[in-house]
Amino acid sequence: MRYHLVMAYTIEAQNLVKTFTVNESGKGLLGAVKALFSTKKRIIHAVENISFNIGQGEFAGYVGENGAGKSTTIKMLTGILVPSGGVARVNGVVPYENRRENSKNIGVVFGQRTQLWWDLPVRESFEILRVIYRVSKGDFDASMAHLSKGLGLDGLLEMPVRKLSLGQRMRCDIAASLIHRPAVLFLDEPTIGLDVLAKENIRSFLRELNAKDGTTIILTTHDMNDIEQLCKRIIILDKGRIVHDGPTDELKKKFPHDKIIEVDFEREVAALPLVPELEPIRRDGKKMWLRHANGSSGLALAIGKLASLYPVKDLSVREPSVELIVRSIYEKTAALPAFAQGEKAAE
Amino acid sequence: MNHTVFGKFAAVSFQKEITYRFDYFMAVLNGFLYIFIFTALWRALYAQGASVGNFTAASLTGYAVVAMVIRISFSMDDTTIAQKVRDGSIATDLIRPVSFFMMNLAQCIGFSAFHTAARGVPILIFSIFLFKLNIPFTAQGMAFGALSLVMGYLILFMLNYLFGLIAFWVIEVFPFQLMKYGLLNLLGGSVIPVDLFPPFMKPFLTLLPFQHIFYTPAAILVGHATPERALIMLGEQAVWVFIMGAASLLAWNAGKDRLVIQGG
Ligand SMILES: Nc1ncnc2c1ncn2[C@@H]1O[C@H](COP(=O)(O)OP(=O)(O)OP(=O)(O)O)[C@@H](O)[C@H]1O
Ligand SMILES: [Mg+2]
């Protein structure tokens, strides 16, 4: 890889902050006017001092629990929300100051809503976008052929958007965001609510888009398989702060010798004080995920102890998945000491 | 925004109105109903010997029809901005390289074009025969009238736009909309020609843009305003177009930085 003297990043976020002020809005005209001058305000810190740089051609996963601030960050980077503090730059442009300028260079998919015209056939929505982004007929036809093949749009183009299934609509929405061949693509939960096959289709399309066209992509998702399969880099957000930022495989290497034991108990078990070598990292009803450091040595013994001392119904041993690692990072209270130990062990 | 994009937005909005006009006949009927009510009302007042400004019975009927037809033709969907802010779909508009103002104007024109063609024009033609209207169509009157219609349309559009932008500040915009409807009905001239207001109302008429929306174009078109008076009215309209334009720009610039995109 060759480095230029001045390394310009495609996406830069410097100390981004977004706070929402919520004031109690009363009923009617009087209430609405009162709310304008209300002093009773609640401050919500959606994003607190976030910084990261994403280089050209990177495919970064942006994850965090519900309400962590992912969408808020994406809104600031796409120029539709003004930060309360800090600076953002996309392709060197400050998005919320030059919204229209910025929008020419980016593609955006908000998985929760469509950017297509609800009543029009998909093809017509694409045609409107072609005119809006001033794409020539020739370029448009070339793009469409490519997108239609990659996303399997045949047969969907003549349908009105409102008649599409969620998965079909999402494919069309992704195509719509790419009609003008943007250098940067923002995807806010593009796989939400899709079945395994539909997710797989979208993933392989995005993988190719990133590899062949060099499109820089930020992807937010709750599906860690998306991240594991697509994103070389993962940024983890917790309550508005970045708690981890690094290569995805490194995250796994943090626990090179760990094994995860998935246990079904006969009844709910609160803690496992008698088997201290198995550390609970997640609980879901009667199900529990336990971490065993030191790889396989002593694993059989620990499992034997567990099975004889607690009402185990079923168990299986696995490698730690990104899902579990990320979860253990979210659930700091229980998992942070272990995580810190893991880091030390890895060094 | 170039004219192709503008035309596209207008065409889509026109088309959408066609597909959603199940209530078309009701709307036409409704338009007629209004015209019948007001013309009947004015005729009744004349029959009572009331003096109605400097209108004659015939010219007032003409005015009532034309003003109502303008109002029908100037149909606008004034709830979209607030709706889009409320459900966050305004995000979709803002991720595109288009001016929000121009996009709304284009869509508004498409919407009104449908109502003009589908309701305004048929109702006008039918009413001319029904009421045996004698509107003195002169070339100058038509030219002034057309100019006045364009400016009246822009003023109403920007009024709706400004009231729509209130949603950037407050969640509950309905009370403001009610206030706007009230003022528009009272002062706009579609119900009562503004010459009929008592003198103490004059400041309200002058200091607010409402009379220039329906009254001015209608008065010019039916020849109620003399050519000299028409010129002055056109000048006043132009001032209001400028004021409303400046206000729209200022409100947008102030509002866009505090707009909170909901959802996601
Ligand atoms: N318009 C708003 N007004 C007030 N608070 C808001 C607003 N939008 C977001 N928030 C708050 O900001 C925080 C971050 O929200 P955000 O939508 O960015 O989360 P997210 O990471 O995208 O979550 P999810 O995974 O559920 O989509 C939340 O606590 C949310 O309640
Ligand atoms: Mg979100």
Side-chain angles (χ1 to χ4, degrees), chain A residues 71 75 99 103 113 115 119, chain B residues 20 87 94 96 261 263-264:
Chain A
S71 296
K75 286 172 193 169
R99 176 181 69 80
S103 64
R113 59 172 52 110
Q115 67 151 313
D119 306 299
Chain B
Y20 275 93
D87 66 16
L94 297 182
R96 298 186 182 129
I261 312 277

Side-chain angles (χ1 to χ4, degrees), chain B residues 181-192 194 197 201 205 210:
Chain B
Y181 295 139
L183 287 169
L184 192 60
N185 279 330
L186 184 67
L187 305 176
S190 63
V191 181
I192 313 160
V194 302
F197 283 117
M201 292 286 286
L205 289 166
F210 296 95

